Amino acid sequence: MAGAQSPLPRDRRRAELREFLRSRRARVSPADVGMPDGGRRRTPGLRREEVAVLAGVGVSWYTWLEQGRDIKVSEEVLDAIARALLLDAAERAHLYLLAGLNPPPASAAASVPASPEVQRLLESWLPRPGYVRDRHWNFTAVNDAARAVFGYGESDHNCLVSSFANARYRVLHRHWAETAPDVAAAFRADAARYPGDREFDRIAADLAAVSPEFAELWARHDVAEHTGAVKAVDHPEAGTLIFDATLLPLPEHPGHHLILHNPRPGTDTLQRLEKLMRERGLVVAHPG
């Protein structure tokens, strides 16, 4: 794996690595890792040689690492040290960065329900549209505004499929033809992050069978990042609505994203949106 682009200068990073390893070692007792106490200790926690034994590395090598010397480290050795010191996921990632390596990506859950906190955020985001999608772009939560604005119905379960197979969605989006290639390319880029996950292939194959437009775009093998967009909606009741869409990762559920739509400044989108929600009998929430 390529070296990380650490924001810390090398000397500072080595000093941080030294103090980090010492502090993690000091908090782990021999009993925590199934080792005999070994009598009185001048300092709390494990000795360096005990960490070396647990990690399966030489005592001198581990001592050099903890001293911040310029030695070569591998992912396998860092993982062994992380296990020996009982590091959690955040601490393991921090160890990688201090050692000059990029942390491995967190394993993503295929799909989990949106947490109560995220559900409350979506409701408080009204009258603005928002939803959560998992790594396969399945919806895990959709607020009332997203359903009212984008035409999502009970049969809409996947963001990609709705983009191409929901006729109402396509009619509402003014620039659908221009943005469709980017949507397909973004899904392919996400699929490449999980090369062993065949669900991406199944979704793409099923959609290509019913959408010639998607089939043609998918065959291009284009890839693109998908972090934000401007969406223009020609709504039959509310008129023209223009949003800045922002895609935010949910760290507690790797692979899941929260997509929030904010009325674009300089337009009357917010006023039109509030009117639409009132006419539909949906509560309009205002930030406190």
Side-chain angles (χ1 to χ4, degrees):
M1 182 177 291
Q5 297 298 315
S6 173
L8 294 176
R10 176 174 292 188
D11 290 345
R12 172 75 182 281
R13 179 162 54 80
R14 289 177 183 173
E16 291 280 349
L17 176 62
R18 180 172 62 249
E19 296 305 319
F20 179 68
L21 285 174
R22 286 176 178 172
S23 68
R24 300 308 95 174
R25 179 164 59 84
R27 74 177 185 179
V28 181
S29 71
D32 292 334
V33 292
M35 299 186 78
D37 185 85
R40 295 187 63 181
R41 294 170 181 256
R42 291 177 297 174
T43 57
L46 296 175
R47 299 184 176 105
R48 285 174 175 169
E49 55 267 28
E50 290 170 333
V51 175
V53 169
L54 289 168
V57 299
V59 176
S60 295
W61 187 92
Y62 177 76
T63 300
W64 294 338
L65 177 68
E66 192 172 292
Q67 290 173 343
R69 295 197 191 184
D70 189 12
I71 59 175
K72 192 169 185 178
V73 296
S74 68
E75 298 172 12
E76 292 76 18
V77 169
L78 288 181
D79 283 343
I81 292 171
R83 288 191 296 270
L85 295 175
L86 306 180
L87 302 187
D88 63 22
E91 291 170 329
R92 174 173 172 261
H94 188 60
L95 174 62
Y96 265 75
L97 290 173
L98 293 181
L101 296 179
N102 290 315
S107 57
S111 186
V112 295
S115 68
E117 294 80 10
V118 171
Q119 290 277 9
R120 288 194 294 270
L121 173 59
L122 283 175
E123 293 310 309
S124 69
W125 191 247
L126 292 173
R128 300 163 179 82
Y131 54 83
V132 178
R133 72 185 192 200
D134 65 17
R135 79 183 190 194
H136 299 126
W137 293 27
N138 295 313
F139 294 119
T140 65
V142 182
N143 72 7
D144 289 335
R147 296 187 186 281
V149 170
F150 301 131
Y152 294 139
E154 293 303 318
S155 61
D156 288 287
H157 303 294
N158 183 281
C159 186
L160 177 75
V161 174
S162 294
S163 296
F164 285 89
N166 182 329
R168 177 175 167 79
Y169 180 95
R170 291 177 52 165
V171 169
L172 287 172
H173 281 71
R174 179 183 299 177
H175 304 297
W176 182 88
E178 292 86 347
T179 59
D182 291 335
V183 173
F187 188 75
R188 184 176 287 281
D190 278 359
R193 293 185 175 92
Y194 310 99
D197 189 339
R198 310 308 297 176
E199 180 66 6
F200 288 96
D201 294 336
R202 186 199 65 77
I203 293 170
D206 288 353
L207 182 55
V210 298
S211 171
E213 296 91 343
F214 176 78
E216 190 275 326
L217 293 172
W218 193 246
R220 296 181 187 178
H221 290 266
D222 291 340
V223 294
E225 289 298 325
H226 190 48
T227 56
V230 177
K231 295 184 181 179
V233 174
D234 290 321
H235 199 276
E237 301 166 49
T240 299
L241 305 171
I242 304 177
F243 299 95
D244 292 314
T246 302
L247 184 144
L248 303 169
L250 296 177
E252 68 272 25
H253 298 311
H256 291 57
H257 289 84
L258 171 68
I259 294 86
L260 297 177
H261 299 79
N262 210 20
R264 192 161 179 80
T267 71
D268 60 355
T269 297
L270 180 58
Q271 292 79 7
R272 292 175 178 270
L273 194 56
E274 290 176 337
K275 182 174 182 290
L276 173 67
M277 298 296 281
R278 283 195 300 269
E279 290 176 347
R280 293 205 172 189
L282 301 171
V283 175
V284 176
H286 293 276

